[in-house]
Amino acid sequence: MSDSSTLTMTHKTGAYEIRVGQNLLDSVAGLLSSIGASGPIGIISNATVNELYGGSIREALSQAAFVTRTILIPEGEEYKTLASAEQVMSALIAQGMERSGTILTLGGGVVTDLGGFVASILYRGVKLVHIPTTLLSMVDAAVGGKTGVNHSSGKNLIGSFYQPDLVVMDVKTLETMQPRDRISGYAEMLKMGVIRDTSYLEFLVDHMDECLAAESTDILIQAIARSCELKAEVVEADEKEADLRRILNFGHTLGHAIESTLGYGVVRHGEAVILGMYGAGWLSNQVGDLSLEDWDKLSAMLRRIPLEFPQKSLNPEAIELATRLDKKVANSQLNFVLLHHLGEAYMQTGIPAVMIKLAVDAIRTAWEGRE
Ligand SMILES: NC(=O)c1ccc[n+]([C@@H]2O[C@H](COP(=O)([O-])OP(=O)(O)OC[C@H]3O[C@@H](n4cnc5c(N)ncnc54)[C@H](O)[C@@H]3O)[C@@H](O)[C@H]2O)c1
């Protein structure tokens, strides 16, 4: 089995490579040269990730005669704001960032979302390279071209579609991640299998331990690469989320509602998505045509994932209300992604509030009393 993988993501105006492998940070200077980067490199990161990986990247770049500027954003989702983006741009401009320069994001989804947004508007757009360092940012945030920041009224309300020129995923960086963040990324890979590819889903279930372990293995490379490939197929067909791309929100309608009612610090995004997938699967069986056999398989695999947070505080009324505030409410219709069967998802509107509350009850029943 290969210890690295290169995928090509095509989009309306071109294509870019996604490299997945071990020790790729060592080759970052060559990879930047391969996309024609020549001006200053503005590295956007946070203190934790910069401390771990920033030094070696800067050294490799300076040996190849690249000039770098490093701008750190404070750690946490609450700093993924327009104000932070403005501060980053002010610092880059003050430090001589040029139109010919390249933004290099180094971090999790908060950094890749904010850095990608900055790259899309600074000087009306500069080259962009993502180096995602969490599993979730590798399989989701850094692939597909959505960038953005939060607004006081909701998450990701301000942003742009802006494709990177290159994405470098060094699985070695995942070895320093927190276990709960790893579960969050695993959830997004599982989602891709549930909505698009049952053999991949089985692969992920068979290799859950390797995907959640601290060691970076070839299995993990394979799992990440396939998840990106599946996301690429969907995004290439519907870059700006007019239709097909919305199936990527499977588990996210309830997931976002659970996140917002429990509080963003209490539950990780992917943890909430696991519960949201459970609720959406339950609804697919109750109001849609998902067979009992597929529902049993899905519920068993989701319940095997070791989640740690106070699920008992899930409140069906509050969560149902929060789904109605979700951004997927269009023309007063709440869109839910449901499953015809494992591997095939579709959009469904008009699910009654009472069924949504019952879905939350089903989640509570499934998780209550579990360690
Ligand atoms: N653009 C998209 O399509 C898209 C898709 C999914 C999620 N997102 C966004 O991604 C964000 C969540 O991303 P996340 O889960 O990566 O969270 P995150 O960026 O907050 O990172 C989680 C934590 O891990 C730390 N960290 C990062 N890499 C590390 C490493 N290698 N070792 C040790 N610690 C490390 C970070 O400092 C942070 O404390 C959200 O803002 C979400 O909206 C965007």
Side-chain angles (χ1 to χ4, degrees), residues 46 75 77 80 108-110 113 133-134 140-141 146 156 173 176:
N46 69 20
E75 181 136 350
E77 183 72 36
K80 201 180 93 173
V110 166
D113 269 12
T133 59
T134 63
D140 205 356
K146 275 200 211 175
N156 300 323
T173 61
T176 50

Side-chain angles (χ1 to χ4, degrees), residues 46-49 52-53 75-77 80 106-113 132-138 140-148 150 155-156 172-178 181 184-185 188 231 245 252 256 259 268-270:
N46 69 20
T48 304
V49 182
L52 288 163
Y53 306 109
E75 181 136 350
E77 183 72 36
K80 201 180 93 173
L106 175 69
V110 166
V111 167
T112 59
D113 269 12
T133 59
T134 63
L135 189 51
L136 182 122
S137 57
M138 289 185 186
D140 205 356
V143 177
K146 275 200 211 175
T147 80
N150 301 327
K155 272 191 77 177
N156 300 323
K172 275 273 170 202
T173 61
L174 301 180
E175 294 183 357
T176 50
M177 272 182 73
Q178 296 294 319
D181 287 320
S184 202
E188 294 290 350
K231 183 164 181 187
R245 189 169 179 166
H252 285 61
H256 283 151
E259 251 183 306
R268 302 284 204 278
H269 173 73

Side-chain angles (χ1 to χ4, degrees), residues 152-186:
S152 55
S153 304
K155 272 191 77 177
N156 300 323
L157 294 187
I158 301 166
S160 57
F161 286 97
Y162 195 68
Q163 303 294 342
D165 296 278
L166 173 71
V167 184
V168 182
M169 304 182 181
D170 186 338
V171 293
K172 275 273 170 202
T173 61
L174 301 180
E175 294 183 357
T176 50
M177 272 182 73
Q178 296 294 319
R180 281 182 68 185
D181 287 320
R182 198 179 289 275
I183 288 173
S184 202
Y186 180 72

Side-chain angles (χ1 to χ4, degrees), residues 58-119:
R58 273 185 295 276
E59 196 178 319
L61 290 177
S62 98
Q63 277 176 12
F66 281 105
V67 174
T68 61
R69 307 278 181 254
T70 301
I71 314 293
L72 302 184
I73 57 171
E75 181 136 350
E77 183 72 36
E78 63 272 34
Y79 293 100
K80 201 180 93 173
T81 59
L82 208 48
S84 299
E86 188 175 2
Q87 279 165 15
V88 167
M89 286 187 281
S90 299
L92 286 168
I93 292 166
Q95 293 184 34
M97 183 69 180
E98 294 166 13
R99 170 75 188 85
S100 62
T102 297
I103 295 286
L104 186 156
T105 67
L106 175 69
V110 166
V111 167
T112 59
D113 269 12
L114 186 137
F117 179 59
V118 164

Side-chain angles (χ1 to χ4, degrees), residues 210-261:
E210 289 100 320
C211 291
L212 296 182
E215 294 80 18
S216 55
T217 58
D218 287 354
I219 292 286
L220 191 58
I221 293 173
Q222 216 186 340
I224 292 168
R226 181 64 186 145
S227 186
C228 292
E229 203 168 51
L230 287 166
K231 183 164 181 187
E233 282 171 18
V234 174
V235 172
E236 281 167 8
D238 177 22
E239 198 173 317
K240 298 209 167 163
E241 204 170 70
D243 189 15
L244 178 69
R245 189 169 179 166
R246 292 188 293 166
I247 65 166
L248 296 176
N249 289 323
F250 178 68
H252 285 61
T253 306
L254 280 171
H256 283 151
I258 289 169
E259 251 183 306
S260 71
T261 53

